[in-house]
Amino acid sequence: MVDVDVSPFEVEVLGRTGDLLRADVYLPANGDGVYPIVLGASPYQKALRYLPPNGVFPFTEYGPIQLYLDNGYAYVAMDLPGTGRSEGTWDPVSRGEGEAIHDMIEHVAVQPWSTGAVGMIGMSHYCWSQWNAARTRPPHLKTIVAYDGATDMYRDWMYHGGIPIQGFLSSWLFGSVLYQHELRGIDFHVGDKHEFVYDVLSHPLDDEWQRRRSPFWELPEVEIPVFSIGVWGKAALHLRGNFYGYERVSGPKKLLVAHPSGFAAAQEYYFDERFHRDELLPWYDHHLKGAENGVMEQPAVRFYVNGEGAYRSAEAWPPPDARPTAFYLTSRPSGAVTSLNDGSLTETAPGTDQDSTSWSYPDPRWAAGVTVFDDRGMPDHVARVNTFTTAPMEGDREFTGHGVLTLFASTDQSDLDVFVKVSLLPADGGTDGDGDSGASAGQAIKVSQGWLRASHRAEDPELTRDMRPFHRHTQVEPLTPGEVYELRVELLPMSFLAGAGDRIRLEITNQDSLITDAPMTHFYGTKVGTDTYHHDRAYLSTLRLHERPRT
């Protein structure tokens, strides 16, 4: 159970659509002053706020309420329209939902217990709500601290590279929203919550419906101070959004990328009072209370370097001293792994006239997605995928920034999917510098990944960068069987140290591992065929990573 010393009281506001919106208000124990407000908004029912933060309750994302009460803040927890006790239609992360939060912010800001200064708080969906409300520019919203939350619903999680998500959509929509409402006697049909799954499936391109629930497009109009906090361990869901959110807002801003290694670890870290005292409270104190505490003098960007176990800082992202390093794909055996092909990554461009890797799918040995099991029942995640691995590093090398895989590919089908994973193969057993990984010698540590459906290969020239393709996803362009196409796969931001003796491995396939990639797994569909990856003098298939000099 979560202990809060005071009981909340409920407030109501009639939103601009005519729907009655409700929120719980927690005030400090003395309750007789005026306070700045931190406000969190989600579809996870304020009535469930008593549940403890735990992986079995992934929707508990509101942070340590009591800590904020003890430090002189009011905490407001809002049920989004169509969820919990708020009326209306549930239209997740739509601009209309952001406007409903806007209306609640303006209502509580003028209450007699409020100073009129409001900030927003919370992780994951609560963070989506922060980006979403900020784009509507409520006059009393002074800052957001956006911890672990996407900004572009289409690209960040609904349709990675144009490929539909399946695992997360199910666990989130049914597990965290629909079933939880049913348990409290609220039928799926109330607020039309059951309609959302059909809406997602009905909009496989980045159309107007998708744009309405992507704050990304309006973030340049956000001028309030923004503290964007990403988490490496939730890269496949939220990380991209935290980087783009930081980049696109126009006001004072900071970026922190923290170390938690997975979904549960990110949740646990968000309830760590020390983390809030060190990072969030000073930010709120400065922007909501006017405290001169030096928080804005901190570096613009701070990030945890995986494999090194240390935080570093930079003036911008990617760090200004980062430069692209090219690794070329080749069929030459690396001798580092048993996989479909065991190819190599080299820093010398191939000189051969013809070199390629072909494979057919679905693989007859796939068992848990691409994962297979040996005679002892032990999982092997790469035995039946394509790999390309470097030679051991001769010295320490830091790869921090963005990455892109340029892949020349053909198929005997009219489309193909590319699932890409970049992993670090430590030579020393795989600890990450503070003992968190528990990897055995040679065990891979995933450091980045990306996805692309080849028929979605068209890029937006205004938003694309050399090291960061931005795909349009507005039309489907089928492939001609046998023709070679250049595909540029965006890789998620990364920071890792490859030490002497370590290797970097690239994996390419067209399906997830249901073990290592859960819950961010995708719909496989009816894919049957043979794909070929070309990597020779004419077709320089290349993995490019930002690399920083080590001083």
Side-chain angles (χ1 to χ4, degrees):
M1 303 291 286
V2 173
D3 293 324
V4 179
D5 290 345
V6 297
S7 297
F9 60 90
E10 189 175 68
V11 295
E12 298 179 339
V13 59
L14 197 64
R16 67 189 69 185
T17 62
D19 297 320
L20 199 61
L21 308 171
R22 295 184 172 95
D24 283 348
V25 177
Y26 298 81
L27 298 180
N30 57 31
D32 57 1
V34 293
Y35 311 100
I37 297 168
V38 288
L39 183 147
S42 85
Y44 301 146
Q45 300 182 82
K46 59 190 179 63
L48 297 179
R49 204 143 285 110
Y50 68 91
L51 293 172
N54 186 287
V56 301
F57 305 126
F59 49 85
T60 51
E61 300 170 340
Y62 43 83
I65 295 176
Q66 188 62 52
L67 175 68
Y68 286 91
L69 303 182
D70 292 343
N71 282 272
Y73 289 87
Y75 191 109
V76 176
M78 176 186 175
D79 281 341
L80 291 173
T83 71
R85 284 190 34 80
S86 287
E87 298 174 357
T89 298
W90 188 45
D91 193 11
V93 203
S94 66
R95 198 178 201 285
E97 188 173 88
E99 291 167 349
I101 303 170
H102 177 130
D103 294 343
M104 180 61 73
I105 288 171
E106 293 308 297
H107 175 74
V108 298
V110 298
Q111 298 307 303
W113 41 266
S114 169
T115 64
V118 181
M120 290 191 70
I121 193 169
M123 65 172 284
S124 195
H125 203 298
Y126 289 78
C127 185
W128 294 350
S129 292
Q130 295 188 56
W131 297 119
N132 202 18
R135 66 166 159 168
T136 72
R137 304 177 70 179
H140 286 92
L141 181 62
K142 306 304 181 184
T143 188
I144 63 173
V145 179
Y147 178 94
D148 182 42
T151 59
D152 182 339
M153 296 299 106
Y154 185 93
R155 293 167 182 80
D156 288 345
W157 71 266
M158 280 189 193
Y159 284 90
H160 281 150
I163 305 166
I165 275 285
Q166 181 176 8
F168 176 73
L169 179 62
S170 175
S171 62
W172 166 66
L173 180 61
F174 290 94
S176 293
V177 181
L178 300 184
Y179 287 154
Q180 296 298 337
H181 278 78
E182 281 285 323
L183 283 175
R184 297 194 63 82
I186 304 174
D187 187 83
F188 292 167
H189 300 84
V190 174
D192 290 336
K193 289 183 287 295
H194 63 298
E195 295 289 341
F196 184 66
V197 65
Y198 305 109
D199 287 338
V200 173
L201 297 177
S202 300
H203 296 276
L205 297 176
D206 188 25
D207 57 12
E208 185 274 337
W209 184 89
Q210 294 284 356
R211 294 289 177 102
R212 281 195 294 114
R213 50 197 26 79
S214 291
F216 172 91
W217 302 101
E218 296 180 76
L219 289 179
E221 299 175 17
V222 175
E223 298 176 341
I224 60 172
V226 171
F227 189 9
S228 180
I229 306 177
V231 180
W232 291 124
K234 289 183 70 176
L237 176 56
H238 290 315
L239 185 66
R240 184 179 181 277
N242 279 110
F243 278 94
Y244 267 113
Y246 167 75
E247 175 184 308
R248 289 178 66 79
V249 295
S250 300
K253 56 189 176 182
K254 303 287 183 184
L255 173 67
L256 170 65
V257 192
H259 65 270
S261 57
F263 277 58
Q267 180 191 38
E268 180 181 3
Y269 195 55
Y270 195 67
F271 278 81
D272 185 333
E273 291 193 1
R274 182 175 60 180
F275 169 61
H276 281 259
R277 290 186 185 280
D278 290 346
E279 299 291 351
L280 278 71
L281 265 174
W283 184 273
Y284 289 125
D285 284 348
H286 177 71
H287 294 291
L288 300 182
K289 293 183 176 181
E292 296 298 332
N293 53 17
V295 70
M296 298 307 292
E297 279 69 63
Q298 291 187 358
V301 177
R302 290 173 292 149
F303 53 92
Y304 182 81
V305 182
N306 292 287
E308 182 178 26
Y311 280 87
R312 294 189 176 272
S313 61
E315 299 173 4
W317 186 270
D321 58 354
R323 298 290 182 270
T325 292
F327 297 95
Y328 300 94
L329 283 63
T330 171
S331 62
R332 188 180 69 197
S334 74
V337 65
T338 299
S339 67
L340 284 178
N341 66 317
D342 183 30
S344 292
L345 291 174
T346 70
E347 293 186 66
T348 302
T352 55
D353 289 330
Q354 291 187 339
D355 192 21
S356 62
T357 298
S358 295
W359 70 292
S360 299
Y361 48 86
D363 188 280
R365 289 186 56 198
W366 284 348
V370 300
T371 295
V372 301
F373 296 90
D374 64 20
D375 293 341
R376 299 172 298 158
M378 300 300 293
D380 189 327
H381 309 302
V382 297
R384 308 304 295 175
V385 303
N386 303 282
T387 64
F388 300 86
T389 311
T390 68
M393 299 292 160
E394 296 181 359
D396 288 355
R397 300 176 68 175
E398 180 189 329
F399 298 91
T400 295
H402 295 285
V404 59
L405 173 66
T406 299
L407 183 67
F408 290 91
S410 61
T411 181
D412 60 0
Q413 304 298 304
S414 61
D415 209 347
L416 67 90
D417 288 346
V418 180
F419 288 45
V420 176
K421 191 178 299 183
V422 179
S423 298
L424 176 68
L425 275 63
D428 63 357
T431 60
D432 65 357
D434 58 7
D436 283 347
S437 80
S440 59
Q443 183 171 332
I445 301 170
K446 181 171 66 177
V447 293
S448 187
Q449 61 191 128
W451 311 262
L452 182 62
R453 177 156 286 174
S455 60
H456 287 235
R457 62 192 177 279
E459 298 179 18
D460 184 328
E462 293 186 3
L463 292 170
T464 283
R465 303 290 181 267
D466 176 50
M467 288 289 288
R468 193 179 59 184
F470 191 98
H471 296 95
R472 290 184 181 274
H473 300 296
T474 54
Q475 62 181 346
V476 174
E477 300 178 77
L479 309 186
T480 299
E483 185 171 331
V484 179
Y485 293 86
E486 179 181 1
L487 309 176
R488 296 205 328 133
V489 184
E490 175 192 11
L491 299 181
L492 296 174
M494 68 196 78
S495 181
F496 68 97
L497 180 69
D502 295 348
R503 299 174 184 253
I504 296 172
R505 184 175 73 205
L506 171 71
E507 301 170 29
I508 310 177
T509 184
N510 69 357
Q511 189 188 184
D512 303 289
S513 164
L514 299 185
I515 296 176
T516 63
D517 297 319
M520 302 307 297
T521 55
H522 301 78
F523 178 56
Y524 182 78
T526 57
K527 291 179 282 194
V528 178
T530 298
D531 295 346
T532 299
Y533 308 140
H534 303 265
H535 36 72
D536 52 34
R537 192 199 311 268
Y539 297 114
L540 293 176
S541 290
T542 311
L543 173 67
R544 298 171 70 213
L545 306 178
H546 271 136
E547 182 172 5
R548 298 185 74 198
R550 298 291 293 184
T551 56

